């Protein structure tokens, strides 16, 4: 293997790899890259780069912590100048989360984001109405879909608190946006 020499110019792929080691402050098992919030890496000079980050939702309180962690990680790898750009549009979507990230979330006991399923069974009769789109959140403990929303806000505003009816375990669900 030919490892980069000290004098080698900064390489965007290398920066991505380093960022892959920066954990999300709220869910430390997944990296900021797995979370899908790092949108772009632009190497602007031999020791400088610009990192574009889209917060999971605007006003996410963890963003400053994430920005600091990213800057610190890259500086520790010798990147002298780290410029962070916060890009709000297009808005982050859970589709940007990697499959690895979703698997790690599940392993951590957090139900990964799922596509919302609109239950139209009630519409067939033409009388019943569904007040809300139905979302079958899968319990990360036992895999049951018999789960119940306990609170819109879990341990952080990005998560909702659910309870499994089958195994009775409460768990966090990473909300879709
Ligand atoms: Zn369960």
């Amino acid at each position: 293997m030919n490892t980069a020499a000290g004098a080698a110019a900064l390489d965007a792929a290398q920066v991505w790899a380093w960022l892959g080691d920066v954990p999300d402050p709220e869910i430390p098992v997944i990296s900021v890259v797995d979370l899908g919030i790092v949108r772009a890496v632009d190497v602007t000079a031999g020791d400088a780069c610009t990192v574009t980050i889209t917060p999971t939702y605007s006003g996410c309180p963890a963003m400053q912590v994430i920005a600091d962690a990213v800057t610190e990680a890259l500086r520790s790898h010798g990147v002298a100048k780290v410029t962070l750009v916060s890009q709000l549009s297009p808005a982050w979507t859970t589709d940007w989360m990697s499959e690895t990230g979703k698997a790690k979330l599940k392993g951590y006991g957090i139900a990964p984001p799922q596509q919302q399923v609109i239950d139209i069974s009630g519409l067939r009769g033409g009388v019943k109405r569904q007040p809300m789109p139905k979302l079958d959140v899968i319990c990360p403990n036992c895999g049951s879909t018999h789960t119940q929303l306990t609170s819109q806000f879990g341990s952080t505003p990005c998560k909702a608190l659910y309870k499994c009816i089958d195994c009775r375990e409460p768990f966090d669900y990473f909300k879709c946006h």
Side-chain angles (χ1 to χ4, degrees), residues 26-30 102-111 140 159:
E26 291 180 351
I27 314 155
V29 289
I30 100 168
K102 287 177 187 171
K104 283 180 189 165
L105 268 188
K106 201 177 166 198
Y108 192 58
I110 298 174
K159 290 174 242 159

Side-chain angles (χ1 to χ4, degrees), residues 139 142 164 167:
C139 169
C142 71
C164 178
C167 74

